[in-house]
């Protein structure tokens, strides 16, 4: 009888631990995406492992993906695959805003994220009646924050159809459905919008996926009204990065491999590329520099959560609740987090090099003449 009681007690405790891990601790942003809901985007369960292997094979030497036209053309498809693989995990473990932000004293990560997003609206001078473009909107966390803060309508574009569905669901839940927040599936290298159709535009840690930044900036320039502003937070290496340092090289390659990047750009390249696209550069600033507090703190503090989540993912995979291959994707993201942390601590990498750009007012007359 005593043995049976002990076995029953152990079973109850075990069930309680599973419940705590998966349902209580396994949700993002107040009952958001749960571990038991990991679907790997639009990829069918039986293809997750294969898609991960194909992705890893393509990005194992990141800079080679943009060296030829043939390989560069494949980048958008593999970025789409990447976001099919990671979107649910990002939402589960990170939230609805897939980007970093400087830590704020006495404030939560969610608060810091929102302040970082609202800064964009303030830089753009966004207000009610404006129609803004979110270039690479993910599941729409920044879009909803900026729409709520500014009163502007926001149109987001993402290459991933699964993210479109998630963003629209979040928009409805937040009471910010169309026309306040619209989401379009498309490639920001060739956007399905008319010329001069937006009052402002922004990209938050998204254009790093482009093989050529010139192509994205050129498209944003095209769809922006003359005299209007564009803000971008860019992932770049800083002047502290030294290509002859093996540790620096491995750190940067680790960031590129684990984030579907066809090679990080240098900080000093961004303004020149913007000017090449036709923009005026009004301001350029690394928002990660002091007095800003470390943006990578959240990654370091999240190591216990990564360990916990790893156990949850393995158990769910073993029980066939999560598809085979999820564990490998989660492990890839954990390793990438270590490289990101090292990049932040050494100062060789920043995910928030901010540029404030303007399409010249004179572009209006030029465009009219072209017609």
């Amino acid at each position: 009888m005593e043995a049976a009681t002990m076995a029953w007690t152990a079973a109850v405790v075990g069930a309680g631990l599973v419940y705590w891990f998966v349902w209580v601790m396994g949700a993002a942003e107040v009952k958001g995406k749960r571990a038991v809901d990991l679907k790997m985007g639009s990829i069918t369960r039986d293809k997750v492992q294969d898609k991960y292997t194909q992705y890893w094979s393509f990005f194992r030497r990141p800079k080679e993906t943009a060296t030829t036209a043939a390989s560069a053309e494949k980048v958008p498809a593999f970025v789409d695959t990447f976001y099919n693989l990671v979107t649910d995990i990002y939402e589960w473990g990170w939230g609805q805003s897939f980007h970093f932000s400087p830590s704020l004293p006495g404030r939560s990560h969610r608060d810091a994220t929102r302040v970082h997003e609202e800064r964009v609206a303030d830089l753009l001078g966004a207000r009610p009646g404006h129609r803004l473009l979110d270039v690479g909107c993910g599941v729409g966390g920044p879009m909803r924050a900026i729409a709520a803060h500014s009163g502007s309508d926001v149109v987001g574009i993402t290459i991933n159809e699964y993210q479109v569905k998630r963003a629209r669901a979040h928009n409805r839940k937040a009471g910010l459905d169309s026309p306040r927040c619209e989401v379009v599936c498309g490639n920001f290298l060739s956007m399905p919008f008319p010329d001069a159709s937006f009052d402002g535009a922004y990209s938050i840690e998204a254009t790093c996926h482009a093989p050529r930044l010139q192509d994205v900036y050129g498209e944003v320039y095209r769809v922006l009204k003359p005299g209007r502003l564009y803000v971008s937070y860019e992932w770049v290496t800083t002047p502290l990065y030294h290509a002859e340092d093996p540790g620096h090289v491995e750190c940067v390659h680790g960031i590129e491999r684990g984030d579907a990047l066809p090679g990080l750009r240098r900080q000093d390249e961004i303004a020149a590329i913007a000017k090449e696209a036709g923009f005026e550069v009004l301001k350029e600033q690394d928002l990660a520099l002091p007095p800003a507090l470390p943006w990578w703190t959240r990654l370091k503090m999240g190591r216990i959560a990564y360990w916990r989540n790893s156990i949850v993912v393995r158990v769910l995979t073993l029980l066939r609740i999560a598809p085979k291959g999820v564990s490998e994707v989660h492990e890839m993201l954990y390793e990438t987090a270590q490289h990101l942390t090292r990049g932040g601590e050494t100062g060789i990498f920043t995910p928030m090099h901010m540029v404030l750009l303007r399409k010249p007012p004179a572009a209006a007359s030029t465009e009219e003449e072209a017609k």
Side-chain angles (χ1 to χ4, degrees):
M1 188 70 177
E2 186 175 331
T5 301
M6 291 179 63
W8 175 251
T9 302
V12 171
V13 171
L17 285 173
V18 170
Y19 176 83
W20 181 77
F21 267 115
V22 178
W23 275 272
V24 178
M25 299 300 291
E29 287 208 326
V30 190
K31 310 304 180 186
K33 175 66 68 172
R34 294 187 182 279
V36 292
D37 298 324
L38 298 179
K39 296 178 181 178
M40 301 294 99
S42 303
I43 302 174
T44 57
R45 291 177 61 90
D46 60 324
K47 297 295 184 183
V48 172
Q49 185 81 58
D50 290 343
K51 288 293 185 180
Y52 169 73
T53 301
Q54 292 168 17
Y55 164 82
W56 191 251
S57 176
F58 184 75
F59 277 104
R60 70 183 183 277
R61 288 186 292 272
K63 290 190 182 301
E64 293 181 13
T65 63
T67 54
T68 67
S71 59
E73 286 179 0
K74 296 178 182 178
V75 169
F78 278 101
V79 170
D80 182 33
T81 295
F82 173 76
Y83 280 111
N84 273 324
L85 292 171
V86 306
T87 290
D88 279 353
I89 295 178
Y90 277 0
E91 275 203 69
W92 172 41
W94 196 261
Q96 296 172 18
S97 295
F98 299 172
H99 64 80
F100 297 104
S101 57
S103 300
L104 297 176
R107 304 282 293 276
S108 68
H109 293 306
R110 190 182 302 180
D111 288 342
T113 296
R114 194 170 186 88
V115 167
H116 198 53
E117 293 165 349
E118 290 175 351
R119 183 201 299 259
V120 169
D122 295 339
L123 285 168
L124 292 175
R127 61 179 185 271
H130 278 181
R131 185 169 181 256
L132 308 180
L133 173 64
D134 185 328
V135 183
C137 65
V139 298
M143 170 194 300
R144 289 182 287 280
I146 288 169
H149 178 69
S150 68
S152 300
D153 295 338
V154 184
V155 178
I157 183 170
T158 171
I159 199 168
N160 185 262
E161 182 63 45
Y162 182 69
Q163 289 190 337
V164 171
K165 295 176 181 177
R166 292 295 298 166
R168 287 174 178 169
H170 288 309
N171 291 347
R172 286 192 296 271
K173 189 175 180 180
L176 290 168
D177 206 354
S178 179
R180 292 300 313 284
C181 291
E182 300 178 37
V183 190
V184 174
C185 187
N187 186 344
F188 58 35
L189 299 176
S190 180
M191 294 191 281
F193 307 120
D195 295 356
S197 53
F198 289 96
D199 300 294
Y202 64 89
S203 50
I204 300 180
E205 304 182 25
T207 57
C208 48
H209 292 299
R212 281 172 33 94
L213 188 60
Q214 293 92 328
D215 296 336
V216 191
Y217 280 9
E219 272 294 274
V220 175
Y221 184 92
R222 179 182 67 79
V223 302
L224 200 61
K225 294 177 181 178
R228 298 307 173 94
L229 304 178
Y230 170 45
V231 176
S232 188
Y233 293 169
E234 298 288 348
W235 281 32
V236 295
T237 57
T238 74
L240 295 178
Y241 172 76
H242 299 296
E244 66 277 8
D245 186 320
H248 287 190
V249 172
E250 176 54 29
C251 176
V252 167
H253 282 183
I255 293 171
E256 294 167 338
R257 287 193 301 264
D259 284 298
L261 308 183
L264 281 168
R265 284 168 270 274
R266 300 192 318 271
Q267 196 171 53
D268 61 4
E269 292 180 293
I270 306 303
I273 292 173
K275 291 175 182 177
E276 181 183 331
F279 283 110
E280 299 170 347
V281 179
L282 303 183
K283 188 175 182 180
E284 191 175 14
Q285 180 184 355
D286 182 358
L287 300 178
L289 292 177
L293 297 178
W295 55 266
W296 61 91
T297 303
R298 188 177 182 186
L299 291 173
K300 296 187 72 171
M301 292 176 64
R303 287 178 181 175
I304 294 176
Y306 277 116
W307 171 80
R308 178 204 70 211
N309 292 352
S310 180
I311 294 175
V312 172
V313 167
R314 291 176 188 278
V315 170
L316 292 177
T317 303
L318 185 65
L319 296 175
R320 298 190 177 183
I321 296 173
K324 185 179 180 182
V326 175
S327 293
E328 287 87 341
V329 175
H330 188 268
E331 183 62 27
M332 175 188 75
L333 295 179
Y334 176 75
E335 291 178 2
T336 305
Q338 309 313 302
H339 291 299
L340 286 163
T341 300
R342 196 170 305 118
E345 289 178 332
T346 57
I348 65 173
F349 164 77
T350 175
M352 53 191 72
H353 181 72
M354 185 277 293
V355 286
L356 175 62
L357 312 175
R358 181 173 66 174
K359 181 174 182 176
S365 57
T366 304
E367 290 172 359
E368 282 298 319
E369 289 173 6
K371 293 178 181 178

